[in-house]
Amino acid sequence: MTVAILLTVSNISPIFAQNDAKQVYYGSDSIEHKFDPMDSVEVSLLTCSPHEEIYSLYGHSALRWHSGEQDIVFNWGMFSFNKPYFVLRFVFGLTDYELAAYPYDTFWPYYQKWGSSITEQVLNLTNDEKRKLQMALIENLKPENKVYRYNFFYNNCSTKPRDVIEQSIEGKVVYNEREGFEPTFREMVRECNRNHLWAKFGNDMLLGLKADLKTNRAEQEFLPLNLMVDFLNAQIYKDGQYRPLVKETRELVSPGVQRIEPDFILTPTEVALILLAISLAIAVYEWRRKKIARWWDVLLMTIQALVGVILTVMLFSQHPTTSLNLNLLLFNPLPLLFIPAIIKGKRNTWRKLQLTMLLLFAIGGIFQSYAEGMWIVALCLLIRCKK
């Protein structure tokens, strides 16, 4: 999920100008007027389009509280790479993000710099709903509440503002369900990484079977652009009446020019094809010389096992979509146990086990979509199963 790297800003305190009275009265003997401080408040969902930093390929969402004197962004996407073991904690689903509030003028230049657009959807809230949201934001900003356990699909910078908005509405938000549109998490992640093939490859290796299940509308809103579209078509239902959730849409920052950073010079498929070509060449060499290139077996088995170690570790991650990964049917630590036998020329037991794993891997492909080039890699391993 796109997130903003932790900025050098302090939470604004007090966040809001508090006014205990809901209404202020003034006028003459003949007519009485009333003024509610919330009349001048606009609450908006901000949606930032993706940009080409690897952590920003999915877009970003935030809330904006805008009145005459205050213009504040509430951002649930704050993190710092400098925290100890950040990458390791992220892999295991133990990353803590936090909510921060800071001036809008600090927020938008970052996205303009990277060429991202910012779309503002002004919410059609009553004054009482604004007050309820105000209190929810104050509560969320308390030190004991502002830090939360981040989850890429289920608890992120897009789902957090959605949830606090829904909880503040007096009534029910009715969404326009997308009939026949049930992409999997894997399909949506692949689309976001379409210009970054190695990032897509890594995601596909780590995401397991659960990422290939169809998603519903709420699950699809882990992507900010999906949430923006759903808000645009949503209605608030109360006491038999409907009103639009969004009363106005504005483009605050126009999309700019984005520079796509080049990936590794070879694609995953090209690397797999090179591996296949080498395997075929070695197989021809072995056939002509009537001997086995044990060093090639050991190299492939080592790579196979090291990938398997990473996937095995991911079984203990708190990310819910990594707990059942059918890549483990082929890429697991077992080859490490058989390398000594291969070096001694005893291949028969390992050959039979490898054939079994390849068969199970092929069957698993019916249920889970594998990463680009993995079928070619499986073919390389199959070639090594010859007697």
Side-chain angles (χ1 to χ4, degrees):
M1 182 57 48
T2 297
V3 288
I5 298 179
L6 193 57
L7 302 171
T8 310
V9 294
S10 301
N11 286 343
I12 301 170
S13 183
I15 296 300
F16 303 105
Q18 298 292 329
N19 190 330
D20 293 335
K22 291 185 179 181
Q23 297 163 342
V24 178
Y25 296 92
Y26 62 94
S28 63
D29 294 336
S30 59
I31 186 168
E32 185 180 65
H33 304 277
K34 62 180 180 180
F35 169 72
D36 189 330
M38 289 296 170
D39 288 341
S40 63
V41 173
E42 281 188 347
V43 181
S44 308
L45 176 71
L46 302 181
T47 303
C48 308
S49 65
H51 61 260
E52 292 303 314
E53 284 292 288
I54 196 67
Y55 57 82
S56 301
L57 296 175
Y58 306 95
H60 187 51
S61 296
L63 283 185
R64 183 185 185 189
W65 182 280
H66 188 200
S67 64
E69 299 178 353
Q70 295 175 316
D71 196 354
I72 306 167
V73 169
F74 293 83
N75 185 353
W76 279 266
M78 308 302 283
F79 72 92
S80 174
F81 283 126
N82 296 324
K83 290 187 177 181
Y85 310 110
F86 176 85
V87 175
L88 189 61
R89 290 176 62 84
F90 185 86
V91 168
F92 281 98
L94 301 174
T95 311
D96 289 328
Y97 281 36
E98 67 180 80
L99 168 65
Y102 51 91
Y104 170 72
D105 285 343
T106 305
F107 178 82
W108 68 263
Y110 173 83
Y111 291 94
Q112 184 184 58
K113 170 188 172 183
W114 287 100
S116 294
S117 64
I118 300 180
T119 302
E120 179 181 43
Q121 293 175 298
V122 181
L123 302 179
N124 190 20
L125 303 181
T126 66
N127 288 348
D128 285 339
E129 289 169 340
K130 293 175 188 176
R131 268 183 283 272
K132 190 174 179 180
L133 179 60
Q134 178 188 49
M135 298 311 298
L137 292 172
I138 292 174
E139 186 68 22
N140 273 262
L141 273 172
K142 291 180 178 179
E144 65 270 23
N145 297 330
K146 68 179 183 178
V147 177
Y148 71 99
R149 181 54 49 86
Y150 174 85
N151 184 285
F152 182 71
F153 289 128
Y154 298 106
N155 200 34
N156 64 20
C157 69
S158 181
T159 64
K160 279 292 192 180
R162 176 199 65 188
D163 293 346
V164 76
I165 290 169
E166 287 183 349
Q167 293 161 10
S168 302
I169 287 175
E170 297 175 347
K172 180 182 179 182
V173 180
V174 180
Y175 292 96
N176 185 11
E177 299 293 339
R178 308 186 193 97
E179 294 184 7
F181 184 73
E182 298 176 310
T184 66
F185 282 126
R186 191 186 304 277
E187 289 170 342
M188 289 184 283
V189 169
R190 281 177 172 174
E191 175 61 23
C192 294
N193 286 273
R194 62 188 179 278
N195 295 323
H196 299 269
L197 297 183
W198 283 102
K200 183 171 72 170
F201 174 85
N203 287 327
D204 276 336
M205 288 299 295
L206 295 178
L207 293 176
L209 181 61
K210 294 179 181 179
D212 290 286
L213 301 178
K214 293 180 179 180
T215 58
N216 58 35
R217 185 265 314 159
E219 290 170 329
Q220 294 159 20
E221 289 171 354
F222 85 96
L223 290 177
L225 293 181
N226 286 343
L227 180 65
M228 180 182 73
V229 171
D230 288 343
F231 265 37
L232 180 63
N233 299 309
Q235 301 277 328
I236 299 173
Y237 176 78
K238 183 183 178 183
D239 299 331
Q241 295 184 330
Y242 289 89
R243 72 179 191 271
L245 175 60
V246 174
K247 67 178 180 181
E248 185 178 352
T249 300
R250 306 164 181 158
E251 185 179 67
L252 301 179
V253 175
S254 300
V257 177
Q258 297 194 19
R259 180 173 180 267
I260 300 176
E261 295 293 335
D263 270 1
F264 180 61
I265 190 170
L266 298 175
T267 68
T269 295
E270 289 169 345
V271 170
L273 288 172
I274 290 172
L275 190 65
L276 177 61
I278 295 173
S279 294
L280 291 171
I282 290 176
V284 171
Y285 169 84
E286 291 174 326
W287 175 70
R288 288 181 175 179
R289 294 297 183 93
K290 307 300 181 184
K291 60 186 299 185
I292 298 297
R294 299 176 191 176
W295 63 271
W296 184 243
D297 282 322
V298 170
L299 178 60
L300 290 180
M301 292 170 69
T302 301
I303 296 173
Q304 183 181 359
L306 291 178
V307 173
V309 169
I310 295 173
L311 297 181
T312 301
V313 168
M314 289 301 296
L315 294 178
F316 302 96
S317 171
Q318 291 191 16
H319 290 298
T321 52
T322 63
S323 58
L324 181 59
N325 192 338
L326 299 187
N327 281 300
L328 279 163
L329 295 173
L330 184 58
F331 298 93
N332 55 65
L334 280 179
L336 291 177
L337 302 178
F338 290 87
I339 287 178
I342 294 297
I343 293 174
K344 295 177 183 178
K346 301 176 181 178
R347 304 177 70 250
N348 195 45
T349 302
W350 169 244
R351 185 180 65 84
K352 292 178 180 178
L353 180 58
Q354 183 81 300
L355 283 170
T356 302
M357 292 194 300
L358 283 163
L359 177 60
L360 293 174
F361 182 77
I363 295 173
I366 300 173
F367 307 99
Q368 178 176 317
S369 180
Y370 295 137
E372 177 185 345
M374 280 300 98
W375 289 110
I376 300 174
V377 174
L379 180 58
C380 295
L381 297 176
L382 180 61
I383 291 172
R384 303 309 302 166
C385 290
K386 65 182 185 302
K387 290 187 179 181

